[in-house]
Amino acid sequence: MDDRLAKKLTILADAAKYDASCASSGAPKRRAAAGELGSTTGAGICHAYTPDGRCVSLLKILLTNYCLFDCAYCVNRRSSNVRRAAFTVEEVITLTVEFYKRNMIEGLFLSSGIVRSPDHTMEQLIRAAKGLRQRHGFRGYIHLKTIPEASPWLIEQAGLYADRLSINLELPTEASLERLAPEKDGAAIEAAMGQMRERIAQGRAEKRRYAPAGQSTQVIVGADSSTDAALIRRSAALYASHDLRRIYYSAFSPIPDASAILPPQAPPLAREHRLYQADWLLRYYAFAPEEVADATEAGMLALDIDPKLAWALKHRERFPVDVNRADRDLLLRVPGLGVRAVDRIVAARRHTRLRLADVARLTSGLKRARPFLIAADHAPTRLTDRSDLRARLAEPPRQLSLFG
């Protein structure tokens, strides 16, 4: 790689690290045929991140970090004093192919600042994906970030070559968007999501390839005053309206020369983690958004305990639950029992009455589950009434070490 291209890569890979939405676990399995290259696997390919946030198995870059917009929270906004660079379409294709041949990546995540116009930028992204697919027979994973306000025809074209499409919601409310990113149009973003949902559903119905890994979005956490309860309600509405595969919660990261309307410090990363856990309750544990919101205090999720435990402590009258008799939905409400553990419990109790030791073999979360369940040899009728139950179950904070 020549120095000029290496410098561009340094700038544009670093600029892309703020975008969290690059997991590929939804992609179907594929292998290249003769004359093609690349493959995807059922597992995600974005599991490893370097300390500065770069994904090391997916070429995650911006086409350019020049941008017409001036969003206050974005390091690439037009008023930002950062080094600028732009790849050509051919450079993106060459980098992807060469990195792949050297076994350094398994796919491409391609986003971009907006240059000239949304349509022009979207056309460049599509040309890169199309060139990889058609000229090089690239069968690896491609995630294209679609550009707000690009024409519907271009967004439709993007799905022909990408595994996953996404468009960042960025901020959960229209008021926050107007304050921090006034040039973005929330209605246009949602309209693009709706269009992608329709095309993806149509492609599945017709059994043709169109963004088979679906669509996702990203919401920035902590740049505005939105509460966790408001974020979860917004997420639930987006899942219901647009059939999103994932919503990524990206903790706001202070940027150089930041606007005075932004908070001076990043929110705790634990907040981002609790939001992902709450999001999990919506998608896999059949919690309604109002139930998750009920687990908050003044709209914010606790940082010392997970949302399911917070909900259970507020609704102690629903516990303890008998692991030998309760239905699956009720077992899913027990803190410490995940979906896999509950399914194993339901399967195992067809053959025997489960004792506490049996449950311990099916879950690693028995400490948290124990006060909330009944087993053949265990009936903690007074544990859920203890005033110090939260303190007994909360994990004490500990300082992690970089050296294990």
Side-chain angles (χ1 to χ4, degrees):
M1 184 187 307
D2 62 46
D3 290 344
R4 184 185 57 85
L5 195 55
K7 286 179 182 175
K8 286 186 182 182
L9 184 60
T10 300
I11 294 170
L12 295 172
D14 185 71
K17 70 185 180 185
Y18 297 96
D19 206 318
S21 54
C22 66
S24 65
S25 51
K29 291 182 179 180
R30 282 196 306 266
R31 289 191 180 280
E36 300 176 334
L37 74 162
S39 63
T40 60
T41 63
I45 58 177
C46 290
H47 291 234
Y49 288 83
T50 58
D52 64 355
R54 287 179 295 112
C55 174
V56 295
S57 58
L58 195 68
L59 179 58
K60 184 179 175 184
I61 53 174
L62 299 187
L63 183 69
T64 177
N65 64 344
Y66 289 99
C67 193
L68 295 172
F69 286 10
D70 203 35
C71 306
Y73 51 81
C74 181
V75 70
N76 299 315
R77 67 192 187 281
R78 66 171 181 267
S79 60
S80 178
N81 184 27
V82 296
R83 289 192 300 166
R84 305 285 182 175
F87 286 127
T88 65
V89 169
E90 289 306 314
E91 285 172 336
V92 171
I93 293 173
T94 300
L95 281 171
T96 304
V97 171
E98 293 301 316
F99 275 126
Y100 184 83
K101 286 180 176 178
R102 286 164 176 76
N103 200 29
M104 298 173 74
I105 61 163
E106 297 170 81
L108 170 68
F109 173 92
L110 185 59
S111 184
S112 181
I114 300 171
V115 288
R116 295 193 193 177
S117 70
D119 278 359
H120 172 79
T121 309
M122 195 70 238
E123 286 173 359
Q124 302 304 301
L125 297 176
I126 293 170
R127 282 181 56 205
K130 185 177 180 179
L132 281 166
R133 294 290 194 217
Q134 293 191 342
R135 277 192 278 136
H136 295 275
F138 184 71
R139 304 282 287 166
Y141 178 80
I142 297 179
H143 181 152
L144 286 186
K145 186 70 72 177
T146 55
I147 303 299
E149 301 180 38
S151 75
W153 183 84
L154 288 171
I155 291 178
E156 187 167 337
Q157 288 291 300
L160 299 177
Y161 307 106
D163 288 285
R164 173 164 289 182
L165 299 173
S166 63
I167 186 166
N168 285 353
L169 183 67
E170 304 291 23
L171 295 164
T173 66
E174 194 67 33
S176 295
L177 207 57
E178 288 178 6
R179 180 168 175 263
L180 299 177
E183 292 155 304
K184 287 192 172 178
D185 183 341
I189 292 172
E190 283 230 39
M193 287 181 179
Q195 183 198 353
M196 287 192 279
R197 180 203 65 219
E198 291 176 3
R199 293 296 173 269
I200 291 168
Q202 185 178 359
R204 288 175 186 157
E206 296 173 355
K207 297 183 177 179
R208 63 183 175 84
R209 189 187 185 288
Y210 186 90
Q215 64 165 321
S216 60
T217 192
Q218 173 176 287
V219 181
I220 297 172
V221 176
D224 66 351
S225 59
S226 296
T227 64
D228 294 340
L231 281 163
I232 288 300
R233 291 190 183 100
R234 183 72 166 120
S235 296
L238 288 171
Y239 281 125
S241 302
H242 302 302
D243 194 26
L244 299 179
R245 286 291 184 91
R246 287 287 302 273
I247 295 175
Y248 294 88
Y249 303 94
S250 177
F252 164 70
S253 177
I255 54 179
D257 304 318
S259 166
I261 61 176
L262 291 172
Q265 292 184 328
L269 283 177
R271 184 184 175 192
E272 183 183 289
H273 178 57
R274 296 304 181 204
L275 280 167
Y276 276 116
Q277 289 178 319
D279 186 280
W280 211 256
L281 295 184
L282 289 179
R283 294 190 293 141
Y284 296 105
Y285 290 78
F287 275 67
E290 289 308 319
E291 290 179 304
V292 179
D294 189 36
T296 65
E297 296 290 346
M300 302 302 285
L301 295 167
L303 299 182
D304 61 333
I305 57 174
D306 66 79
K308 191 159 78 161
L309 177 56
W311 182 86
L313 289 170
K314 278 191 169 184
H315 295 276
R316 301 185 190 203
E317 75 282 359
R318 305 277 295 270
F319 302 96
V321 169
D322 191 335
V323 293
N324 289 297
R325 302 178 60 182
D327 62 33
R328 183 177 182 276
D329 288 347
L330 199 51
L331 286 172
L332 285 172
R333 301 287 172 126
V334 176
L337 295 187
V339 173
R340 183 176 298 179
V342 168
D343 288 340
R344 287 173 174 172
I345 287 171
V346 172
R349 72 187 186 185
R350 294 175 188 148
H351 309 288
T352 186
R353 280 183 58 75
L354 297 172
R355 303 168 69 86
L356 202 58
D358 300 321
V359 179
R361 282 191 285 271
L362 299 175
T363 178
S364 60
L366 184 64
K367 178 185 174 184
R368 279 180 296 147
R370 187 172 180 150
F372 300 97
L373 58 80
I374 295 172
D377 60 342
H378 175 72
T381 51
R382 294 183 182 177
L383 268 176
T384 51
D385 295 330
R386 291 183 64 115
S387 59
D388 64 343
L389 184 56
R390 176 180 177 136
R392 290 163 63 96
L393 296 175
E395 295 182 6
R398 61 192 177 94
Q399 178 63 53
L400 298 178
S401 168
L402 291 174
F403 306 101

